[in-house]
């Protein structure tokens, strides 16, 4: 596209920022006033990937998210990265460094985006954050009493702490089981699935070992 057409677009849109907004919004109708419709559509199509990156970068700057997380988040969610964290900033708990201060940063973003204190997104985020902290210590489960106490401290509200556990179970984020000492334990569904699969694999290996041992004992006694 030549300079004249670009200048025409800028002047027609109002200024460069207005033009960028029109491109970000995919406003083909506005652009077609200054370009042929096929060219306006093609321009919006080519601009779309850049617009998504621009949105994500602006989001990082506006909410002071550490830029070293940019590529991890961008790679994890690909083209939908901006929409994903805008709609649910609490997914950032999976990317932020595991420190208690991280919750304050993420929760602040949630509040600025208008997410209510009793939102399912916030309460699930709080549970996942605490379970990530435990996982970082090598623990895949925590007693229900412990996580309740920590939720109360994190959310500064007992009612919300109890509600968070209910929401976590409802949305299949967490599950519970009784430990050998009778304690009621809570763990993420992901950790439970990994442990279950590992137990199944070990059981199969043990069965193979028993079968092999039986065959070996049978063949040796037959000789």
């Amino acid at each position: 596209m030549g300079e004249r057409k670009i200048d025409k677009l800028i002047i027609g849109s109002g200024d460069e920022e207005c033009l960028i907004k029109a491109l970000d919004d995919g406003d083909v109708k506005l652009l077609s006033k200054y370009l042929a419709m096929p060219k306006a559509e093609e321009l919006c199509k080519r601009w779309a990937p850049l617009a998504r990156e621009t949105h994500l970068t602006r989001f990082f700057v506006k909410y002071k998210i550490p830029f070293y997380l940019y590529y991890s988040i961008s790679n994890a969610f690909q083209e939908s990265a901006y929409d994903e964290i805008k709609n649910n900033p609490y997914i950032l708990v999976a990317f932020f460094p595991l420190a208690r201060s991280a919750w304050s940063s993420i929760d602040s973003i949630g509040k600025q985006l208008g997410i209510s204190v009793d939102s399912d997104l916030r309460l699930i985020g709080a549970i996942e954050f605490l379970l990530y902290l435990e996982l970082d210590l090598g623990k895949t489960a925590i007693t229900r009493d412990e996580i309740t106490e920590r939720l109360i401290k994190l959310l500064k509200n007992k009612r919300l702490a109890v509600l968070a556990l209910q929401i976590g179970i409802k949305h299949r984020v967490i599950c519970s089981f009784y430990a050998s000492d009778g304690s009621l334990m809570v763990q993420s569904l992901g950790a439970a699935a990994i442990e279950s699969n590992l137990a199944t694999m070990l059981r199969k290996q043990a069965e193979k070992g028993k079968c092999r041992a039986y065959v070996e004992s049978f063949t040796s006694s037959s000789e």
Side-chain angles (χ1 to χ4, degrees):
M1 187 180 293
E3 282 188 33
R4 285 187 180 182
K5 285 190 177 179
I6 293 172
D7 288 340
K8 187 178 178 181
L9 278 173
I10 292 171
I11 294 168
S13 302
D15 56 33
E16 288 185 8
E17 285 191 17
C18 291
L19 174 57
I20 289 172
K21 186 179 185 306
L23 289 166
D24 284 349
D25 294 342
D27 194 343
V28 176
K29 187 177 180 181
L30 174 63
L31 298 175
S32 66
K33 291 180 181 179
Y34 314 104
L35 291 173
M37 179 60 80
K39 286 192 175 182
E41 290 175 343
E42 181 65 21
L43 181 58
C44 285
K45 183 180 177 181
R46 293 190 178 190
W47 182 269
L50 180 60
R52 284 189 286 269
E53 286 186 22
T54 304
H55 283 149
L56 187 59
T57 301
R58 287 175 182 168
F59 191 92
F60 268 65
V61 172
K62 182 176 181 179
Y63 296 106
K64 299 178 182 177
I65 300 172
F67 259 92
Y68 61 81
L69 299 177
Y70 184 93
Y71 288 105
S72 297
I73 292 169
S74 180
N75 289 336
F77 299 109
Q78 299 294 316
E79 295 181 356
S80 64
Y82 169 71
D83 292 327
E84 291 286 348
I85 62 172
K86 182 186 175 185
N87 294 332
N88 180 14
Y90 292 96
I91 61 176
L92 291 171
V93 299
F95 299 92
F96 262 67
L98 289 171
R100 293 193 176 277
S101 58
W103 174 257
S104 298
S105 300
I106 296 167
D107 201 29
S108 174
I109 296 171
K111 288 174 183 175
Q112 291 177 70
L113 289 171
I115 296 176
S116 63
V117 293
D118 61 352
S119 162
D120 287 8
L121 299 178
R122 181 174 186 256
L123 300 182
I124 289 172
I127 291 175
E128 290 182 330
F129 176 71
L130 291 176
L131 290 176
Y132 277 131
L133 288 177
E134 288 300 299
L135 195 59
D136 194 46
L137 296 173
K139 300 176 183 178
T140 59
I142 183 173
T143 68
R144 187 183 179 92
D145 290 342
E146 278 185 279
I147 196 167
T148 301
E149 286 179 15
R150 294 181 190 183
L151 281 167
I152 292 171
K153 288 181 181 178
L154 193 69
L155 301 172
K156 299 178 175 60
N157 186 300
K158 185 175 181 179
R159 181 186 68 82
L160 291 179
V162 173
L163 181 60
L165 290 171
Q166 293 172 350
I167 294 297
I169 292 171
K170 176 184 174 182
H171 289 282
R172 298 175 64 81
V173 174
I174 56 172
C175 59
S176 58
F177 64 93
Y178 284 99
S180 55
D181 63 359
S183 301
L184 182 58
M185 307 296 292
V186 172
Q187 71 178 161
S188 70
L189 212 61
I194 291 171
E195 289 187 348
S196 176
N197 289 338
L198 182 60
T200 300
M201 184 178 72
L202 291 174
R203 199 160 43 241
K204 286 181 179 178
Q205 290 298 322
E207 287 172 359
K208 284 181 182 178
K210 287 180 181 177
C211 181
R212 188 180 295 110
Y214 174 78
V215 171
E216 287 176 353
S217 65
F218 178 79
T219 52
S220 61
S221 63
S222 301
E223 292 175 352

